[in-house]
Amino acid sequence: MGKELSFTLQPDANGILPDRMIAAMADAGLILPAYPFVESQIQPASLDLRLGDIAYRVRASFLPGPGATVAERIDELKLHEIDLSDGAVLETNCVYIVPLLESLALPPNIVAAANPKSSTGRLDVFTRVIADGTRRFDMIGAGYHGPLYAEISPKTFPVLLREGSRLSQVRFRVGDAILNADELDALHDAERLVDIDDADLANGVALSVDLSGESASGFVGYRAKRHTGVVDIDRRGGYAINEFWEAIAARPDGSLILDPGEFYILASKEAVQVPPDYAAEMVPFDPLVGEFRVHYAGFFDPGFGYAGAGGQGSRAVLEVRSREVPFILEHGQIVGRLVYEKMLARPDAMYGQRIGSNYQAQGLKLSKHFRV
């Protein structure tokens, strides 16, 4: 226990921990990787989580709840085990639980929150992190000591995974770091967070969908094809777009009908930026405005779209799925909000700087797995 004392925060600390503090947490025994971290695993404001060597196919998704462990629930619900050490294919619409190579021994003042990585969301791989005794997905409470697990359910493409594959990322925060209305207004006045004059800043920066086709040569997005081949989650630029995706041309009226159960990649009308001392997260817009879900992967790192990190404003890519009924999206319709939070300190490396960031200065863009 004495080793943990080497990591201390000021009593009034308030913000998301940057890259060097994540590394210091690991050095102090607060993050416990089964193997040393690999290159680029520590991002500016998050840590990528790695899959272990076994996946359990389970009957249904679950939360363990207070007093129960994930391992106990796996024993009750597992159908079979899959060895990931040499890679294995996870099939669509099945639910798998995979122990992660990172476990946590959080101090009483640090909480953790997980989210899918951008490339995971853009493949329509539904994934959430589970911890022992929890009532919520992707939320790990202060003081948690124990293992982490990924729930994985590919929704459109079967995916090839292996031990060490990275589908999820975790942020660590202390205090309440979300900017209030006045702080967000002031930051927008200083940095111009979106490239429009009449930005909607109520409860975060509003983002709307671009269905004009003007920024992507007449196209507004992609719809995923069914019954495709397998996507290797670790293979970059390995697949032809037209084998997996159908490009969607802009309509004269600026609308798009979402078919139930289909998966779409669209882009925000606004170009956004995240200044170096802040991080952001996309949160769903009011569910009462439409039967669709936007954006599985919600973390935006410090420097995303930021001119000083090579961004010049970047579009937010929207992962969109309609629910039970067809739904018409209109150009400029608000689909989500970016909530900004303070960093506890500026990261050593910004998004887009020397860390293999795939989506800096992006427009409408598929995941890194597809050849441009």
Side-chain angles (χ1 to χ4, degrees):
M1 294 294 291
K3 189 178 182 187
E4 294 184 12
L5 298 177
S6 63
F7 183 88
T8 56
L9 295 171
Q10 296 296 325
D12 59 349
N14 183 35
I16 292 173
L17 276 63
D19 42 17
R20 63 183 173 280
M21 291 189 182
I22 295 172
M25 285 178 68
D27 290 342
L30 308 182
I31 303 170
L32 301 163
Y35 309 112
F37 292 149
V38 296
E39 185 181 5
S40 80
Q41 189 175 346
I42 299 178
Q43 296 288 314
S46 63
L47 173 70
D48 289 352
L49 299 172
R50 297 171 293 178
L51 301 182
D53 63 359
I54 191 165
Y56 299 94
R57 167 87 191 280
V58 293
R59 288 163 45 199
S61 175
F62 64 86
L63 280 166
T69 68
V70 177
E72 290 167 350
R73 300 307 310 277
I74 289 173
D75 282 342
E76 297 168 9
L77 296 169
K78 70 180 179 184
L79 300 174
H80 59 263
E81 301 177 10
I82 301 165
D83 185 358
L84 297 182
S85 54
D86 292 320
V89 173
L90 303 192
E91 302 290 349
T92 56
N93 295 313
C94 297
V95 181
Y96 304 87
I97 306 294
V98 181
L100 297 173
L101 295 181
E102 286 75 31
S103 56
L104 298 178
L106 294 179
N109 59 341
I110 294 179
V111 300
N115 229 303
K117 289 173 58 64
S118 292
S119 297
T120 309
R122 293 184 204 199
L123 286 177
D124 201 21
V125 177
F126 187 67
T127 185
R128 304 184 284 198
V129 170
I130 321 175
D132 289 344
T134 53
R135 287 193 173 105
R136 296 177 66 190
F137 293 105
D138 286 335
M139 303 298 291
I140 300 108
Y144 175 77
H145 285 223
L148 300 175
Y149 300 80
E151 175 195 294
I152 304 167
S153 184
K155 307 310 291 182
T156 296
F157 310 126
V159 292
L160 176 63
L161 303 174
R162 56 188 59 78
E163 182 179 16
S165 293
R166 294 182 262 168
L167 301 184
S168 303
Q169 54 195 342
V170 64
R171 274 183 177 171
F172 302 94
R173 57 169 59 82
V174 58
D176 180 7
I178 295 177
L179 301 191
N180 63 35
D182 291 341
E183 290 169 331
L184 187 63
D185 285 343
L187 181 61
H188 180 63
D189 288 344
E191 296 280 8
R192 201 154 188 258
L193 302 175
V194 287
D195 65 340
I196 57 174
D197 293 329
D198 56 343
D200 178 349
L201 303 181
N203 302 311
V205 176
L207 295 183
S208 64
V209 63
D210 182 4
L211 296 178
S212 69
E214 294 172 2
S215 62
S217 305
F219 291 93
V220 298
Y222 297 92
R223 178 169 46 223
K225 293 184 175 182
R226 297 284 185 173
H227 316 297
T228 66
V230 172
V231 177
D232 184 336
I233 207 83
D234 299 317
R235 187 179 176 197
R236 188 179 298 229
Y239 303 97
I241 289 175
N242 62 7
E243 291 182 10
F244 292 83
W245 299 94
E246 173 190 347
I248 304 169
R251 290 166 51 100
D253 65 357
S255 70
L256 173 65
I257 297 177
L258 302 175
D259 291 319
E262 297 299 310
F263 180 69
Y264 300 83
I265 296 291
L266 307 173
S268 68
K269 177 181 161 189
E270 299 81 10
V272 305
Q273 65 164 327
V274 182
D277 295 305
Y278 299 86
E281 181 174 355
M282 183 178 282
V283 296
F285 189 51
D286 184 352
L288 300 179
V289 303
E291 285 298 311
F292 62 94
R293 173 196 171 101
V294 172
H295 218 281
Y296 289 39
F299 287 165
F300 287 68
D301 273 336
F304 177 86
Y306 191 69
Q312 316 272 313
S314 296
R315 310 277 167 175
V317 165
L318 310 170
E319 299 128 18
V320 181
R321 175 181 288 284
S322 186
R323 294 200 175 107
E324 286 78 14
V325 296
F327 186 80
I328 297 178
L329 275 184
E330 309 279 357
H331 176 68
Q333 184 169 344
I334 295 175
V335 292
R337 292 187 181 272
L338 271 188
V339 173
Y340 283 74
E341 298 185 68
K342 304 183 195 78
M343 294 294 298
L344 194 54
R346 182 174 291 200
D348 287 343
M350 251 32 98
Y351 187 90
Q353 292 182 327
R354 309 183 311 279
I355 57 172
S357 306
N358 294 293
Y359 307 114
Q360 187 67 299
Q362 71 182 355
L364 176 67
K365 188 171 183 179
L366 295 170
S367 72
K368 63 188 179 186
H369 307 91
F370 301 98
R371 292 192 292 272
V372 177

